Amino acid sequence: MPDPRFTALPKTAEVLAALPSGRIDPFAPPALAIDKSKNGKAPLKPPSLQFTGVALTNRGGPQAFVAFNSESGAVSPGDQGGAAIPWLPPGWRVISINVQQGQLVLGNGPQRFPFQL
């Protein structure tokens, strides 16, 4: 009979079941959150867009550094790709920039696409 003064150790399965589930590699970038549109297709990633960095301007506004095709430059929230800003794909707009987390969110119509450094 087990001694009532001692607490039995949990079984291996109980310990493993109590562990939180999460990313296998905690240093890997987080998985992209992809919202599916009404037709069930995932939004299209902006073609050949590279997200290279973030910074705060002198006025405290966030900027992200991107490259598209052979153009590169800085973008701010609200900027939209086109002739005036050729370093963003045409029609894609900057939704938000989080400097602390190194994240850029672009949108194209109802689609949202996050980029992570």
Side-chain angles (χ1 to χ4, degrees):
M1 287 198 79
D3 190 336
R5 295 177 294 170
F6 294 107
T7 303
L9 292 175
K11 300 200 181 330
T12 304
E14 293 171 334
V15 172
L16 291 176
L19 290 175
S21 62
R23 299 186 319 192
I24 295 171
D25 182 358
F27 300 103
L32 296 175
I34 298 179
D35 296 328
K36 292 193 175 188
S37 61
K38 292 179 184 177
N39 62 8
K41 293 182 181 176
L44 298 175
K45 178 180 176 180
S48 70
L49 181 79
Q50 295 177 334
F51 174 39
T52 58
V54 292
L56 285 174
T57 64
N58 300 15
R59 298 178 191 151
Q63 284 191 326
F65 301 100
V66 296
F68 175 66
N69 291 338
S70 61
E71 303 283 343
S72 63
V75 293
S76 299
D79 287 351
Q80 185 166 352
I85 303 176
W87 45 88
L88 275 180
W92 285 86
R93 186 173 54 90
V94 178
I95 303 297
S96 66
I97 300 170
N98 187 320
V99 175
Q100 288 78 21
Q101 293 181 357
Q103 187 179 48
L104 165 69
V105 178
L106 295 181
N108 186 2
Q111 298 179 16
R112 301 287 181 264
F113 195 88
F115 285 85
Q116 191 73 39
L117 282 177

